[in-house]
Amino acid sequence: MFTTLIRVNSSAIRAVGYDGSTLTVEFHNGRVYDHPRVPRSVYESLMRVTSKGAYYNQNIRGRYR
C-alpha cells in the first residue's frame, strides 16, 4: 500500500504523506524517507508550521526510524 503524498510549500520538502502511523517525506533532491510510529500530532504540526524543513530537523529526523 502506498501513501498519497501531498505537495507542500517548503524550500526543502517537496511532499508529505501520512497513513496514520508512518510519515513519508519527499525532499526536492528526490530522496524519500519513511518514519514509522509518528504520532498524528507530530504530522499535524509539520503540516501547520511555516518552516517545514526546520521542524523536520528538530522534531522528526533521527527520532523516528
Side-chain angles (χ1 to χ4, degrees), residues 23 27 33 35 53-65:
L23 177 71
F27 289 87
Y33 295 95
H35 299 280
Y55 184 87
Y56 176 85
N57 286 330
Q58 293 171 0
N59 298 285
I60 299 167
R61 183 178 176 201
R63 291 186 182 201
Y64 301 97
R65 300 180 201 199

Side-chain angles (χ1 to χ4, degrees), residues 14-40:
R14 177 180 293 152
V16 175
Y18 186 68
D19 69 1
S21 176
T22 299
L23 177 71
T24 302
V25 180
E26 178 184 5
F27 289 87
H28 286 291
N29 66 10
R31 292 190 178 163
V32 178
Y33 295 95
D34 288 325
H35 299 280
R37 297 179 299 280
V38 172
R40 180 169 295 280

